[in-house]
Amino acid sequence: MKGQTQAVTAVMITGILVGTISAVYIWGTPLLEKREGQAELNQIENDVVSLSNSIESVGNSGSGAASESNIRIGEGEVYVNETGNYIEITTFSDRSPYPLEAWRIIDGSNLQGLTIGAGDYGIQGQDSAGVVAARSDDGGQEDRIIFRVEFRNLFDSSTEEMEYLDLQVPGSDTTTGQTSISISNQGVEQDTFEIGTGEDFDREKTNLRVTLS
């Protein structure tokens, strides 16, 4: 009888252990995956903000200044759009914290004067030279996450001139996976910028070479 009791007890303990382990696996695994996915997006977001800060620092440091930034993505791509003057980093996640089909500012002030905003320029001393924004696009099982670093024309009311950090890509404008982005200041030149009304403004343009590898 004693042996039977011990056997039943062992079976019960085993059943409890199996049930506990199963519960931990069923409920714990999704939670762990969620935390890992969020940590990865936080890392990419930090990399993108750091990239934006580096670009602005190089732009303000004079000809010859340079920096290198790393974008740590597994699946996705980095794309530089010269015409729009922005760098876009795309990745994927099944748990996006960013709004669907709407830009959220992560760093910088408003969207004025950007390709994703309204108007022709921002205001010096009021708006930041660059903005970091993010959005999600519904991709079914996984959302497509887009981070954008964009620089705009800034109007200086004291001189009535524009200032601009101009992103230029002499080589490939697209890479996939983890990417190193080198920025070098090629100096300043003077040109003119025409706004939507047809009015021209003198502009001080800082040429920044962007190299992806």
Side-chain angles (χ1 to χ4, degrees), residues 126-176:
Q126 176 179 314
D127 300 320
S128 56
V131 167
V132 178
R135 63 178 287 174
S136 299
D137 289 338
D138 189 359
Q141 291 185 340
E142 286 190 314
D143 289 332
R144 181 169 177 259
I145 313 298
I146 305 169
F147 296 93
R148 179 177 289 195
V149 180
E150 183 170 339
F151 292 87
R152 58 188 156 200
N153 287 282
L154 288 180
F155 178 69
D156 188 338
S157 58
S158 64
T159 62
E160 295 192 346
E161 294 183 354
M162 297 285 181
E163 295 181 3
Y164 190 58
L165 298 178
D166 188 28
L167 304 180
Q168 303 173 352
V169 192
S172 173
D173 62 5
T174 306
T175 59
T176 58

Side-chain angles (χ1 to χ4, degrees), residues 17 19 25 46 78 84 91 110 139 149 182 195:
L17 287 173
Y25 180 80
N46 290 335
V78 176
T91 188
N110 69 67
V149 180
S182 299
I195 64 174

